[in-house]
Amino acid sequence: MKGIFKFKHWQKTSTNKIQKIIKNKKVIGVIGASRKMGVTHICLCIANFLQSALKQNVLYIELAEDSQLLPVVGEKQINFDGHIAFSYKKVTYVLACDEEEAVSLINSWNGHIVIDVADYSKKSYQVLCRCDKKIMIGSLQPWCIKDVEMMIEKLKGDGLKEKFIYTYENDTNTKPSGNSLGCTIRTRPFIENPFKLKEENFNAIVEMIL
């Protein structure tokens, strides 16, 4: 717990919630209902919060064929347990990871894991079903809602309904209830820079990953 309470405005977050996150190390999977939903941005926010604010051991898995993060975090290459990774701001990144390697990392990593899932498929399901927390990023705007509904149906069909959380931006249209979509609806927090988190972002991130 050392260093956690130096943030003077973070008193709104209960000690119990913080202790729960630290004690119960989680695998957190994030996927988009469609492309360009900000999945990577949210994953970076969660990973950097866990490391910088809670001082946890954090692994970031980029489950994708090609890496979008290599130009950002790829300066310091490291090797652990036969895995090629990169260390950036004390978070360990495994980039352009396939499903087999992701499962191996989940089994061996001692700490929190954040998984950035590029696409949903039968293969990526093998990884997503291992996540303790599943987050989908989408939008309820008329031109996006169909993608959300289709993704929810896919996940339900693969038995991922119970622990599934749905988050969205502050859409201006009338929002369907969580019950009608078969999932929990929460507002996606606006965070400008995931590598320079502000105290006002902490509570929203805590609620997202609990």
Side-chain angles (χ1 to χ4, degrees):
M1 300 293 288
K2 183 180 178 182
I4 292 174
F5 296 103
K6 66 182 180 180
F7 304 102
K8 63 180 180 180
H9 298 302
W10 203 16
Q11 297 174 352
K12 293 179 182 178
T13 301
S14 73
T15 304
N16 288 339
K17 288 181 179 180
I18 297 166
Q19 289 177 332
K20 186 175 180 180
I21 292 172
I22 293 173
K23 182 179 179 181
N24 302 311
K25 293 180 178 178
K26 287 188 173 183
V27 180
I28 304 164
V30 185
I31 190 169
S34 50
R35 290 285 187 175
K36 298 183 179 180
M37 286 287 109
V39 170
T40 297
H41 189 87
I42 290 295
C43 286
L44 290 171
C45 291
I46 294 171
N48 284 284
F49 168 77
L50 289 168
Q51 197 292 312
S52 63
L54 300 190
K55 308 304 179 186
Q56 297 296 287
N57 192 27
V58 183
L59 174 67
Y60 188 112
I61 296 176
E62 184 186 34
L63 192 66
E65 291 186 5
D66 301 302
S67 177
Q68 298 181 31
L69 284 175
L70 185 60
V72 180
V73 304
E75 292 183 3
K76 183 181 177 182
Q77 184 171 312
I78 60 175
N79 187 297
F80 68 96
D81 296 335
H83 300 280
I84 297 174
F86 299 89
S87 180
Y88 186 73
K89 294 186 181 294
K90 299 183 179 180
V91 173
T92 300
Y93 293 82
V94 177
L95 305 178
C97 184
D98 63 23
E99 289 78 11
E100 184 178 349
E101 185 175 15
V103 171
S104 174
L105 288 164
I106 291 171
N107 290 336
S108 64
W109 182 260
N110 181 26
H112 292 277
I113 302 175
V114 180
I115 306 179
D116 180 346
V117 184
D119 295 295
Y120 186 74
S121 66
K122 292 298 181 183
K123 286 186 176 181
S124 59
Y125 160 76
Q126 300 170 26
V127 178
L128 204 56
C129 71
R130 296 287 301 275
C131 296
D132 305 300
K133 187 76 171 186
K134 305 168 186 68
I135 301 170
M136 182 172 72
I137 308 296
S139 172
L140 300 181
Q141 295 289 358
W143 53 89
C144 297
I145 188 66
K146 190 65 178 177
D147 290 332
V148 170
E149 292 171 344
M150 289 175 63
M151 180 63 76
I152 289 172
E153 287 304 312
K154 287 180 183 178
L155 293 161
K156 283 182 183 178
D158 286 331
L160 297 181
K161 178 182 176 182
E162 293 304 318
K163 295 183 180 178
F164 193 72
I165 301 298
Y166 172 71
T167 68
Y168 61 94
E169 293 180 336
N170 289 314
D171 293 332
T172 56
N173 63 303
T174 302
K175 303 174 182 65
S177 68
N179 289 337
S180 68
L181 288 173
C183 57
T184 303
I185 295 178
R186 291 182 181 173
T187 300
R188 182 177 67 176
F190 174 76
I191 301 172
E192 188 174 356
N193 187 339
F195 298 107
K196 295 181 179 179
L197 298 174
K198 299 178 180 179
E199 292 174 44
E200 56 261 36
N201 303 138
F202 290 176
N203 292 313
I205 298 174
V206 167
E207 293 301 322
M208 182 176 283
I209 63 181
L210 274 176

